[in-house]
Amino acid sequence: MQLKRKVFALMMGVFFCLFVLHSYLDYRQIIAEPAQQVLYRSFSQAEPASHFALLIAPIFEPQMSGFLLNNALIFGLGFLLTILLLSWLLNRELLAPVSSLKRVAQELADGNYLAVNRLLVSNDLEQVRVAFKHMVNEITRHEQAINQQKKLFTALSQTSKTILRNLTPQLLFEEACDIAVTFGGFKAAWIGEVDGAGKVIRPIACTGIHSDSLKVCKFDLVTDPQAESPLVIAVYGRCPSVIEEINGDQGKTPWHRLARLSGGSSAGVFPIVVKEKVVATLTVYALEPGYFTPTTRGLLDDMVCDLGFAIENYERNQAHKAAHDSLEASSKQLEAVYQQMSLLLESTGEGIFGIDEQDCCTFINKAAAEMLGFAASEMQGQPIHKLVRMFEESGKSFNRVILRQGETVRVRDETFLRKDETLFPVEYSTYPIRKDGHFKGSVTVFRDVTSSRSMMREMRFLATHDSLTHLLNRHAFDQRLRTAFSDSQKRHIQHVLLYMDLDQFKLVNDTCGHVAGDMMLRQLSHRLQKTIGDEGVLARLGGDEFGLLLENCHLNRASQLANQICGVVKGFRFVWEGRNFSTGMSIGIVAIGPNTESPHSALSAADAACYVAKDMGRNRVHVYQAYDEEINRQQGEMHLVSTIENAIDQQCFSLLQQPIMSLRSTAIGDEHVEVLLRMQNEQGEQIMPGAFIPAAERYNIMGNLDRWVIEHTFKWLSQSPARLNELGCCAINLSGQSLGDVTLHEYILEQLRKYELPAEKISFEITETAAVSRLDQATRFISLLKRRGFRFALDDFGAGVSSFAYLKCLPVDYLKIDGGFVCNMLNDPVDKAMVESINHIGHLMGLQTVAEYVESDLILEQLIDIGVDYAQGFGLVKPSPLEYR
């Protein structure tokens, strides 16, 4: 296209030249030559002023005018075409390239380096265009380097500002990563902390990489050093490690996976050194390969050096702050100690004064001055020992005593003199004051012991005497008892020990309160002490129990005195708010001689004899004998009580179930069972209830056993849903003591809610004797639980003499006929008649009857004939362990 345009322009130029030449020749032939001649002649003859007229005159010649008129259009078109052609050629070939070159140069000067691509393609300007492009590339590269350096200088500036804030290393690292990305122009950055052993790097701060990606990273520098070479070089070589171009194929190690996630093409790892130890590494990622020039590396080195300095500076500041805080705390503590010491000196109740080497008073606190009766100013500078010391140390210096003994002096019994010449007992201690090993005086601390000595006497009395009765207490009596035992062993003489327990004393406490009980004990103690006189040592051992030690006494005299005491106590009447109370005294007597094992065994034997006296009818005297059957029984029961309590703690109890057979119905779901309790002793032998229940009732621990049975039965039923569905009723025995426990019904309801059992499946069995003896309590207890759906059975019915009279007062569901009638009904018509009558009365009252101790099929047949509802006994089914299903 350019060639065609040039050919066309050349042809037009040739044509124009030919046209001009032709016109010129015609003009010269027709006009120019004659005109020249005329003009020449005219010029030669004319005046200079008329030369112009001569020049234009030929034009107005007729011949000339005709030529011009005939060729004017041609001349105008030719002239116009010539001007246009020349303008176009000039603009196309010269002015347009120069103008384009000027514009591109201006845009390049303005910083628009892309304008170089708009240069016209021309052989004449090709070198200029190439030079411009080379220049633009160089300028771009230099500007990129300058911009990169500017960003890094900005990052360094921001890092310096961050360092001034004295941040913690964690916050500093987070800020550094953010600065590297925000101001340094990097794609991503993270900092990893090197562990103390220099074996593992854990990332702790990052920017540009999702934190979840870093949480799972841990760079082991030991097990895989080749794969982790950038970090290894940075940590172990303590120099930067740069990857000019990250190979995307090597993404198998944590470092390469993290680099790939960053999106960078090149990376650099720079160690952060603190005290010649690499504590962390800064890893940055750039988008361009080969980004890390020497200048960039140097600036990043400066950045990590600043970070190391910041960390070291932070540690120094923290150490300085800690030292300053410690110093400030110590200063405050010293100030507080000084103030406290001053306050103590002035507020303490003890007197304190100091003396110098010349025995003159240097200071004295308020308490000392007041106790001595002086003003502090009166004693300052005075020899204080002349004013306060008495007896053998009178007039002698406190320093003299210190120097004589060479150490602290403590005196527990001394008397000081007041200003008014009165004396008062004191205890004092004098302490030496030394400076650089030289004696400089002493400090004396003293206190008035007038009240404390009185209090000490009272405390000694209270330590050995009962505060209520002023008799000897248990501890002092034990001391006297041990002395008597030792005396009997050495001198082979006999002493007698009396253990005395008031009868029905609890009645006074329960009806009138403890104030009345205390008053009664004081009055009785006074009468006992008056009765005994100086014949023995009387002590209150605790509660309503007393001990009496008769030294060098025979059993006969001891028995006489014991009976005399019983008579005095029996005749005693205690009146409180118009009410009159009488009591008695049960006394156990034991002799202490050479054959007595120990003071404890003597006291235990006397206690057992006292319990025997109570069992024999109260207000009696019982003398301990080595082979006394009652005492042996009593001691056996006491031992059994201990065994029961241990069994409860160690879970040595177990439960059995014994079916109660229905004699009228065979329907499923009408099966009844009774839960029976068994205990194992220390040898693993099974103990029947008849052996341990009496002892538990006698010593009031039956309530604990009942609660144990209730809880474990409910737990068994809850864990055996299939067995629970089969049962129509599960019977649990309760003792008479539990009827008097006002909290038992709440405990039962709590266990019911805990194990989520239906109340109608549970029946509680109460013996007739227990119910009748506690009729009000039993009625209330049964009524409370029957409202919740529980059922009740009256056990051993028929054994009491008033059974029928009280039966209608008890809202029970079952009557269990006493087994003594049932087992003998085949041989005794009276027993059979009792069974029939109890069954008949029970049915009349709407109750179901249960026969116990069914030992044979013949008894079972007679019970069916009589119409008894249920039967239970070893002849039917023996007890078996609980089933869990």
Side-chain angles (χ1 to χ4, degrees):
M1 181 62 70
Q2 291 180 356
L3 181 61
K4 289 180 179 180
R5 288 177 179 177
K6 289 182 178 182
V7 171
F8 175 75
L10 182 60
M11 290 175 67
M12 290 296 295
V14 171
F15 172 76
F16 178 75
C17 291
L18 291 176
F19 174 78
V20 171
L21 180 62
H22 178 266
S23 298
Y24 175 74
L25 292 176
D26 288 342
Y27 166 77
R28 188 173 181 82
Q29 182 180 0
I30 299 174
I31 298 176
E33 290 181 357
Q36 284 181 349
Q37 295 175 4
V38 172
L39 287 172
Y40 179 77
R41 289 192 301 267
S42 298
F43 268 95
S44 63
Q45 298 176 4
E47 292 294 330
S50 60
H51 284 175
F52 180 74
L54 290 176
L55 285 173
I56 65 172
I59 299 175
F60 299 98
E61 292 291 327
Q63 210 171 4
M64 183 67 174
S65 302
F67 175 82
L68 292 173
L69 291 174
N70 291 332
N71 294 282
L73 180 62
I74 295 174
F75 272 112
L77 291 173
F79 182 77
L80 181 62
L81 288 174
T82 301
I83 294 301
L84 291 174
L85 180 62
L86 291 175
S87 298
W88 180 82
L89 288 175
L90 180 63
N91 182 67
R92 175 71 180 83
E93 298 298 329
L94 181 60
L95 296 179
V98 172
S99 178
S100 176
L101 182 62
K102 181 180 180 180
R103 286 195 303 272
V104 170
Q106 182 64 40
E107 291 189 28
L108 289 175
D110 293 339
N112 183 12
Y113 303 125
L114 297 178
V116 73
N117 296 322
R118 294 202 301 273
L119 282 173
L120 296 177
V121 179
S122 173
N123 292 332
D124 296 334
L125 300 177
E126 180 64 24
Q127 292 181 352
V128 174
R129 188 173 66 84
V130 172
F132 268 159
K133 283 190 175 182
H134 179 71
M135 179 186 69
V136 166
N137 291 335
E138 286 296 320
I139 292 174
T140 302
R141 184 173 60 82
H142 283 297
E143 285 195 352
Q144 287 177 349
I146 291 172
N147 289 335
Q148 180 179 346
Q149 293 178 12
K150 285 182 178 179
K151 291 179 180 179
L152 289 175
F153 277 119
T154 304
L156 278 175
S157 176
Q158 293 296 325
T159 303
S160 299
K161 293 179 182 179
T162 303
I163 290 174
L164 294 177
R165 293 159 58 190
N166 195 30
L167 300 176
T168 63
Q170 177 65 40
L171 294 177
L172 178 67
F173 290 162
E174 293 175 359
E175 290 284 340
C177 291
D178 188 60
I179 289 171
V181 174
T182 304
F183 298 99
F186 293 101
K187 174 64 177 175
W190 64 272
I191 293 179
E193 184 180 37
V194 182
D195 68 344
K199 297 181 179 179
V200 177
I201 296 180
R202 290 183 174 85
I204 60 173
C206 69
T207 300
I209 304 175
H210 199 282
S211 59
D212 292 340
S213 303
L214 283 173
K215 289 180 181 178
V216 298
C217 290
K218 184 180 75 170
F219 302 98
D220 195 328
L221 304 177
V222 177
T223 59
D224 195 8
Q226 187 63 32
E228 309 293 349
S229 56
L231 296 176
V232 172
I233 294 172
V235 175
Y236 292 156
R238 293 175 56 188
C239 61
S241 175
V242 174
I243 306 299
E244 297 293 346
E245 184 172 0
I246 299 174
N247 191 344
D249 296 334
Q250 296 180 359
K252 299 181 181 180
T253 67
W255 191 91
H256 282 90
R257 285 196 296 270
L258 193 60
R260 188 176 59 200
L261 288 174
S262 71
S265 299
S266 58
V269 182
F270 296 83
I272 301 174
V273 181
V274 177
K275 296 179 181 178
E276 300 184 356
K277 181 180 179 182
V278 178
V279 299
T281 58
L282 168 64
T283 304
V284 290
Y285 301 97
L287 287 174
E288 301 86 2
Y291 185 81
F292 295 90
T293 63
T295 303
T296 304
R297 296 184 187 182
L299 292 174
L300 287 172
D301 275 337
D302 292 341
M303 184 175 179
V304 295
C305 288
D306 289 347
L307 292 176
F309 169 77
I311 296 173
E312 189 173 355
N313 187 56
Y314 174 80
E315 292 176 352
R316 281 196 299 269
N317 287 340
Q318 291 299 110
H320 291 164
K321 182 180 179 182
H324 180 269
D325 292 344
S326 177
L327 182 61
E328 185 176 0
S330 299
S331 177
K332 290 181 179 179
Q333 187 176 5
L334 287 174
E335 180 67 21
V337 169
Y338 174 76
Q339 294 179 356
Q340 186 176 9
M341 290 300 297
S342 299
L343 182 63
L344 287 174
L345 284 174
E346 295 303 323
S347 61
T348 182
E350 295 184 333
I352 304 174
F353 58 81
I355 58 176
D356 58 17
E357 296 175 271
Q358 286 73 37
D359 300 330
C360 293
C361 178
T362 56
F363 69 88
I364 184 168
N365 70 340
K366 181 180 178 181
E370 289 180 350
M371 281 190 281
L372 295 172
F374 291 91
S377 59
E378 293 180 303
M379 305 194 74
Q380 293 282 352
Q382 299 297 320
I384 195 172
H385 59 278
K386 294 182 178 180
L387 304 175
V388 301
R389 294 296 299 276
M390 296 297 295
F391 299 114
E392 70 276 2
E393 297 296 335
S394 178
K396 295 181 181 179
S397 168
F398 289 93
N399 289 342
R400 179 179 176 183
V401 181
I402 287 272
L403 293 172
R404 184 181 63 196
Q405 296 189 8
E407 58 184 9
T408 300
V409 175
R410 291 181 176 85
V411 178
R412 301 183 62 85
D413 189 11
E414 183 57 273
T415 304
F416 282 180
L417 181 68
R418 294 189 181 96
K419 185 178 180 180
D420 60 3
E421 301 295 328
T422 59
L423 302 175
F424 64 100
V426 296
E427 292 179 354
Y428 77 88
S429 298
T430 300
Y431 304 89
I433 299 175
R434 291 186 174 88
K435 183 178 181 181
D436 299 330
H438 300 289
F439 181 79
K440 295 296 182 180
S442 63
V443 176
T444 299
V445 180
F446 70 94
R447 61 190 182 95
D448 186 349
V449 295
T450 304
S451 59
S452 62
R453 287 183 179 177
S454 175
M455 186 182 297
M456 186 66 69
R457 288 191 295 269
E458 183 177 354
M459 290 179 63
R460 289 196 188 101
F461 179 84
L462 292 177
T464 57
H465 290 74
D466 177 53
S467 59
L468 178 65
T469 62
H470 291 178
L471 299 176
L472 285 181
N473 59 18
R474 179 67 176 262
H475 176 72
F477 187 76
D478 287 342
Q479 295 288 343
R480 295 294 296 268
L481 186 60
R482 282 195 289 271
T483 302
F485 170 76
S486 176
D487 183 63
S488 67
Q489 299 293 314
K490 294 177 181 178
R491 299 171 55 193
H492 298 280
I493 58 176
Q494 178 177 282
H495 309 296
V496 179
L497 173 63
L498 280 69
Y499 196 97
M500 303 180 290
D501 189 0
L502 284 176
D503 300 328
Q504 302 300 331
F505 174 72
K506 188 174 182 298
L507 179 64
V508 178
N509 273 341
D510 293 343
T511 56
C512 300
H514 290 279
V515 175
D518 291 346
M519 180 62 71
M520 180 179 178
L521 285 175
R522 279 196 291 267
Q523 293 180 10
L524 267 175
S525 299
H526 178 71
R527 293 209 173 188
L528 290 175
Q529 186 65 69
K530 186 177 180 180
T531 302
I532 296 168
D534 297 333
E535 198 168 346
V537 178
L538 180 63
R540 184 188 177 199
L541 303 182
D544 59 348
E545 298 172 345
F546 297 86
L548 175 60
L549 178 62
L550 302 176
E551 297 178 343
N552 196 14
C553 180
H554 294 286
L555 279 176
N556 292 336
R557 174 54 192 156
S559 299
Q560 293 175 2
L561 183 58
N563 287 317
Q564 184 181 352
I565 291 172
C566 287
V568 169
V569 174
K570 186 66 176 176
F572 171 74
R573 293 293 181 270
F574 176 68
V575 180
W576 183 264
E577 295 181 350
R579 302 183 64 179
N580 199 328
F581 295 92
S582 62
T583 184
M585 181 76 82
S586 298
I587 302 176
I589 301 176
V590 64
I592 300 175
N595 296 326
T596 304
E597 295 181 3
S598 64
H600 175 74
S601 63
L603 192 61
S604 177
D607 186 15
C610 180
Y611 269 97
V612 171
K614 278 187 177 293
D615 290 344
M616 294 172 60
R618 301 181 184 274
N619 201 49
R620 294 176 180 271
V621 177
H622 187 84
V623 180
Y624 174 82
Q625 301 293 335
Y627 301 99
D628 194 321
E629 183 177 346
E630 286 296 325
I631 290 180
N632 291 337
R633 179 189 62 79
Q634 183 72 25
Q635 291 180 334
E637 286 185 350
M638 293 173 67
H639 176 72
L640 190 57
V641 167
S642 176
T643 303
I644 295 171
E645 291 175 343
N646 291 335
I648 294 176
D649 293 337
Q650 299 174 10
Q651 300 293 322
C652 292
F653 283 100
S654 60
L655 296 177
L656 302 177
Q657 60 175 338
Q658 184 177 30
I660 302 175
M661 182 183 296
S662 175
L663 303 183
R664 292 191 173 187
S665 172
T666 58
I668 298 175
D670 193 34
E671 181 181 355
H672 290 203
V673 296
E674 179 181 357
V675 176
L676 304 177
L677 180 65
R678 298 291 186 269
M679 183 180 74
Q680 287 185 340
N681 59 15
E682 297 175 354
Q683 290 74 33
E685 300 172 347
Q686 194 174 72
I687 303 175
M688 299 298 288
F692 62 85
I693 292 295
E697 290 179 339
R698 180 185 297 274
Y699 290 94
N700 298 317
I701 60 173
M702 195 61 209
N704 296 337
L705 290 179
D706 286 345
R707 288 175 182 247
W708 189 95
V709 173
I710 291 170
E711 180 184 2
H712 285 76
T713 301
F714 283 19
K715 183 178 180 180
W716 165 61
L717 293 173
S718 175
Q719 295 176 354
S720 308
R723 183 60 174 151
L724 179 63
N725 292 332
E726 294 174 355
L727 293 178
C729 183
C730 178
I732 301 174
N733 289 282
L734 291 181
S735 66
Q737 291 179 2
S738 295
L739 296 179
D741 187 350
V742 295
T743 64
L744 181 61
H745 75 281
E746 289 293 339
Y747 175 81
I748 293 172
L749 295 178
E750 179 185 346
Q751 297 300 313
L752 188 73
R753 288 190 295 268
K754 176 181 178 181
Y755 292 105
E756 299 179 351
L757 298 176
E760 61 273 9
K761 294 274 188 175
I762 308 298
S763 173
F764 291 108
E765 294 188 1
I766 304 172
T767 63
E768 176 201 7
T769 304
V772 171
S773 62
R774 298 175 176 84
L775 187 61
D776 293 340
Q777 295 175 348
T779 303
R780 180 179 177 276
F781 179 80
I782 293 172
S783 299
L784 287 173
L785 291 181
K786 279 185 70 66
R787 294 173 191 169
R788 301 285 184 162
F790 290 96
R791 290 185 272 183
F792 282 85
L794 200 58
D795 198 9
D796 296 337
F797 189 80
V801 296
S802 304
S803 301
F804 291 110
Y806 290 103
L807 181 59
K808 57 185 179 180
C809 299
L810 296 170
V812 297
D813 303 282
Y814 302 97
L815 282 182
K816 297 193 74 171
I817 304 172
D818 186 63
F821 301 130
V822 176
C823 66
N824 201 35
M825 61 184 296
L826 295 178
N827 303 320
D828 192 340
V830 176
D831 288 344
K832 182 178 179 181
M834 288 294 296
V835 173
E836 291 175 344
S837 62
I838 293 172
N839 182 68
H840 180 66
I841 293 296
H843 286 168
L844 285 177
M845 298 183 68
L847 307 178
Q848 292 183 303
T849 57
V850 181
E852 298 180 302
Y853 293 3
V854 179
E855 306 295 339
S856 66
D857 292 340
L858 293 177
I859 296 176
L860 180 62
E861 292 175 0
Q862 288 202 11
L863 293 173
I864 295 174
D865 293 339
I866 293 172
V868 175
D869 300 304
Y870 294 92
Q872 176 184 5
F874 281 22
L876 300 177
V877 182
K878 292 183 178 181
S880 61
L882 301 181
E883 300 177 7
Y884 287 86
R885 55 188 175 89

